[in-house]
Amino acid sequence: MRRNRELSDLGEQVEIAVRTRDATIQRTERRAGELLSRLTRDYGLSMERALELAGGAVSRADGLRLRRGSERSATS
């Protein structure tokens, strides 16, 4: 009985950790998309220039995906 309870508790902790990770990734990606939108929309930069300013940490495809996601959530 005790072992089953411990296993169940550990399983729940794994689930919580994964859900926390997923939520953190969503928030981080939303923020990055918002910032890319500001750079491209508000400041008129090309996506290439915005990505250069981001230190090359984001590919063009990811940059476009992040910006689209941010703009979609802003209109929802």
Side-chain angles (χ1 to χ4, degrees):
M1 289 295 272
R2 181 174 176 214
R3 182 174 192 273
N4 286 342
R5 184 66 202 153
E6 288 177 5
L7 293 174
S8 180
D9 288 347
L10 288 171
E12 287 177 24
Q13 290 177 36
V14 169
E15 180 184 6
I16 291 167
V18 170
R19 288 178 186 266
T20 300
R21 178 208 58 197
D22 292 347
T24 300
I25 290 169
Q26 287 177 345
R27 280 191 310 274
T28 303
E29 289 198 343
R30 189 177 321 117
R31 179 70 175 140
E34 290 167 0
L35 294 168
L36 284 170
S37 288
R38 286 186 63 199
L39 287 167
T40 57
R41 182 191 62 229
D42 298 350
Y43 291 93
L45 299 181
S46 68
M47 179 58 78
E48 289 75 18
R49 181 65 181 131
L51 295 174
E52 284 176 24
L53 291 171
V58 180
S59 70
R60 178 172 170 69
D62 270 346
L64 292 171
R65 177 185 61 79
L66 292 167
R67 187 178 64 183
R68 272 193 309 271
S70 168
E71 291 169 353
R72 252 191 315 253
S73 68
T75 60
S76 309

